[in-house]
Amino acid sequence: SQQGEEDPQALSIQEGENATMNCSYKTSINNLQWYRQNSGRGLVHLILIRSNEREKHSGRLRVTLDTSKKSSSLLITASRAADTASYFCATAGGSYIPTFGRGTSLIVHP
Amino acid sequence: KAGVTQTPRYLIKTRGQQVTLSCSPISGHRSVSWYQQTPGQGLQFLFEYFSETQRNKGNFPGRFSGRQFSNSRSEMNVSTLELGDSALYLCASSLVHLQEGYGYTFGSGTRLTVV
């Protein structure tokens, strides 16, 4: 299985701090995606990074991908209370079907 | 533009019954996928439909089935419900086939409780 595994499982920070979440996987991928989920609702797509890309930015989000280490990281800068959510990485291999990890639960305290 | 619409939002069924969930993708999106989310197993892929054809299927029993209509709307059906089928069922649409490497847009889900 190429299910990604997020680390840490839970993260608690203060507003204004940066939050970093990591995702490791086991087999080669075509792309890796990050999603956010608020309290049991639908997931929101944040960023897709392809296997030949190393870094992507979107607003306060920065995603890196290291295919040699089979790992990715999601950095949220200057966190806000509204960033409180669960964050999932999803790896897509030969079938291109995103396979989700268990997620990182982020709490940002005002 | 309208997002992915799933109906109903909540559903309570009795063991042994069957249920049909509906998903309307974003206008123009042709790929619809379904996921089951539970606290124990996380997000598990059920199936993907593209142009009315099932393109991929996850590791679920035959009680789980789906279809896609010519307008890209999709339904999934679960027959002979079991307590373990209680979950949040998420529908996700994508502009083109997943192989094009685009991300999903998810609906808010249908919360199914089997009693």
Side-chain angles (χ1 to χ4, degrees), chain A residues 35 37 42-43 48 50 98 102, chain B residues 35 37 40 56 88 101 104 106-107:
Chain A
Y35 289 82
Q37 185 178 36
L43 284 78
L48 181 151
R50 301 179 197 278
R102 294 302 190 103
Chain B
Y35 284 80
Q37 186 177 29
N56 292 286
L88 180 66
Y104 285 132
F106 278 85

Side-chain angles (χ1 to χ4, degrees), chain A residues 3 31 33 35 37 39-45 48 50 88 94-102, chain B residues 9 35 37 39-45 56 88 90 98-104 106-108 111:
Chain A
Q3 181 183 52
N31 68 65
Q33 305 170 41
Y35 289 82
Q37 185 178 36
S39 192
R41 301 293 298 274
L43 284 78
V44 174
H45 181 255
L48 181 151
R50 301 179 197 278
F88 295 86
S95 68
Y96 286 87
I97 299 169
T99 303
F100 288 81
R102 294 302 190 103
Chain B
R9 287 294 310 280
Y35 284 80
Q37 186 177 29
Q41 299 298 319
L43 281 147
Q44 301 282 308
F45 173 78
N56 292 286
L88 180 66
L90 292 163
L98 288 177
Q99 286 188 358
E100 298 295 325
Y102 285 83
Y104 285 132
F106 278 85
S108 295
R111 174 77 62 184

Side-chain angles (χ1 to χ4, degrees), chain B residues 51-62:
Chain B
S51 293
E52 302 177 66
T53 301
Q54 187 181 89
R55 293 299 182 96
N56 292 286
K57 188 176 190 302
N59 189 26
F60 278 81

Side-chain angles (χ1 to χ4, degrees), chain A residues 10-102:
Chain A
L11 184 59
S12 180
I13 60 174
Q14 296 294 320
E15 225 173 15
E17 294 181 338
N18 294 343
T20 299
M21 288 157 264
N22 302 296
C23 173
S24 60
Y25 55 93
K26 295 178 180 174
T27 59
S28 63
I29 59 171
N30 285 298
N31 68 65
L32 185 146
Q33 305 170 41
W34 285 91
Y35 289 82
R36 183 186 76 229
Q37 185 178 36
N38 290 87
S39 192
R41 301 293 298 274
L43 284 78
V44 174
H45 181 255
L46 298 175
I47 289 182
L48 181 151
I49 187 165
R50 301 179 197 278
S51 59
N52 61 353
E53 298 174 312
R54 291 297 167 257
E55 187 171 313
K56 288 190 86 168
H57 296 255
S58 177
R60 294 182 296 111
L61 307 180
R62 172 177 167 250
V63 168
T64 61
L65 177 64
D66 187 335
T67 53
S68 67
K69 295 181 180 178
K70 292 187 170 58
S71 68
S72 174
S73 67
L74 169 67
L75 169 67
I76 305 174
T77 59
S79 296
R80 306 166 182 168
D83 295 327
T84 294
S86 291
Y87 291 82
F88 295 86
C89 73
T91 53
S95 68
Y96 286 87
I97 299 169
T99 303
F100 288 81
R102 294 302 190 103

Side-chain angles (χ1 to χ4, degrees), chain B residues 21-32:
Chain B
L21 311 181
S22 179
C23 172
S24 293
I26 289 176
S27 178
H29 282 200
R30 296 171 62 192
S31 171
V32 175

